[in-house]
Amino acid sequence: MSQAANTRTPYIVCNKVTKSFGTHQVLQGVSTAFSKGEVTVIIGASGSGKSTLLRALNRLEPHDGGTITIDGVPVTDHEATLQKQRCEVGMVFQQFNLFGHMTVLDNVTLAPRRIHKISRSAANAKAMQLLERVGMQDHAHKYPWQLSGGQQQRVAIARALAMEPQVMLFDEPTSALDPEMVQEVLEVMRSLAKEGMTMIVVTHEMGFAREVADRVMFFDQGCIAHEAPPAEFFARPANERIAAFIGRVAH
């Protein structure tokens, strides 16, 4: 990681965050910070707590204990604050979650028009810029069912960007895609990283982690078992469990 990365200001801070589903504790006192301009890739076995942490960051999954702050403000159920935070923290899901009855353009403009009260013409102009950024400008008037999975996910990224977030969360954004469509989505994510977007990415794409991440974080049984810059993380796995995981997924 560069010296600049070490001096970045923490934007999202987690302090001893816990979360249980029934008797199963999914997050066990997670403490970490995510800084502006940093790309963090979170890896680990299914059920290790990666996606739960991501969902807790914007309150899709309320945490039970500890604190999460975004730009110094605690994440709670306070409605006005939460809405502001959700505008600042965009999220892209495994399933694209586009509105099937709306065109691509309307999917991208809906939130800015409803939440930021932007006029339709201004929202459309901004949406077309974003669709061009993700290579989807020629599909603006199509419906989601007319698109491939990779195209739908690129629209979902444009939709999240339409709110001008400070941070983008990606929850396994390529895992529902056919293999030939994975790269087109990763390419959009690479370009966002190059532009300096703060990103927290849960993924099994080890090549992306090696190439784009400032740091790689390994989750194991609800804890951060290890984190390091990618060159160090992959060259010298911290333990056998991490080495075995990398061996399984980096095929």
Side-chain angles (χ1 to χ4, degrees):
M1 197 187 296
S2 68
Q3 189 61 37
N6 290 330
T7 57
R8 286 172 177 152
T9 309
Y11 186 71
I12 297 178
V13 178
C14 302
N15 184 32
K16 300 179 180 172
V17 174
T18 61
K19 175 66 183 181
S20 297
F21 294 110
T23 57
H24 178 48
Q25 191 167 1
V26 185
L27 297 177
Q28 307 206 34
V30 172
S31 295
T32 188
F34 303 97
S35 297
K36 276 290 195 75
E38 180 183 50
V39 178
T40 304
V41 171
I42 304 176
I43 64 173
S46 183
S48 59
K50 314 178 299 293
S51 293
T52 302
L53 177 66
L54 221 60
R55 292 172 67 83
L57 295 182
N58 65 358
R59 203 71 177 168
L60 291 173
E61 207 64 79
H63 54 288
D64 298 330
T67 59
I68 300 171
T69 59
I70 298 175
D71 202 14
V73 180
V75 175
T76 67
D77 286 328
H78 184 270
E79 198 169 331
T81 304
L82 187 56
Q83 178 160 305
K84 182 175 183 292
Q85 288 172 331
R86 284 182 174 161
C87 292
E88 292 171 2
V89 181
M91 187 152 183
V92 176
F93 301 88
Q94 183 175 339
Q95 302 297 338
F96 326 119
N97 293 359
L98 298 176
F99 294 110
H101 65 289
M102 290 184 178
T103 64
V104 164
L105 188 63
D106 285 342
N107 265 283
V108 177
T109 61
L110 179 66
R113 288 196 292 113
R114 283 219 179 141
I115 295 169
H116 289 330
K117 309 299 182 194
I118 295 170
S119 71
R120 183 181 285 274
S121 60
N124 284 355
K126 177 79 190 294
M128 289 306 296
Q129 288 177 345
L130 290 171
L131 290 170
E132 185 170 359
R133 195 167 161 191
V134 301
M136 289 299 294
Q137 67 274 24
D138 294 338
H139 303 275
H141 300 292
K142 290 183 179 176
Y143 289 87
W145 57 268
Q146 296 174 295
L147 306 175
S148 70
Q151 289 173 325
Q152 289 188 61
Q153 193 61 295
R154 284 188 280 155
V155 171
I157 293 172
R159 178 179 62 179
L161 290 172
M163 295 301 286
E164 300 183 350
Q166 298 296 310
V167 180
M168 287 280 281
L169 310 178
F170 292 88
D171 188 7
E172 304 206 23
T174 59
S175 62
L177 301 178
D178 292 334
E180 63 270 20
M181 293 170 191
V182 168
Q183 286 307 319
E184 67 188 58
V185 173
L186 292 179
E187 197 48 54
V188 170
M189 293 168 65
R190 283 188 194 100
S191 70
L192 286 176
K194 284 194 188 104
E195 291 163 18
M197 174 61 77
T198 309
M199 295 163 61
I200 307 171
V201 184
V202 170
T203 186
H204 289 293
E205 298 292 336
M206 296 300 112
F208 177 84
R210 287 173 193 268
E211 179 190 345
V212 178
D214 290 298
R215 62 173 171 158
V216 180
M217 188 180 282
F218 184 80
F219 257 66
D220 188 23
Q221 298 179 338
C223 301
I224 300 170
H226 183 58
E227 59 178 294
E232 179 188 327
F233 186 96
F234 290 106
R236 295 187 296 280
N239 57 47
E240 286 299 315
R241 198 172 174 95
I242 294 173
F245 179 83
I246 293 170
R248 279 200 308 277
V249 296
H251 46 70

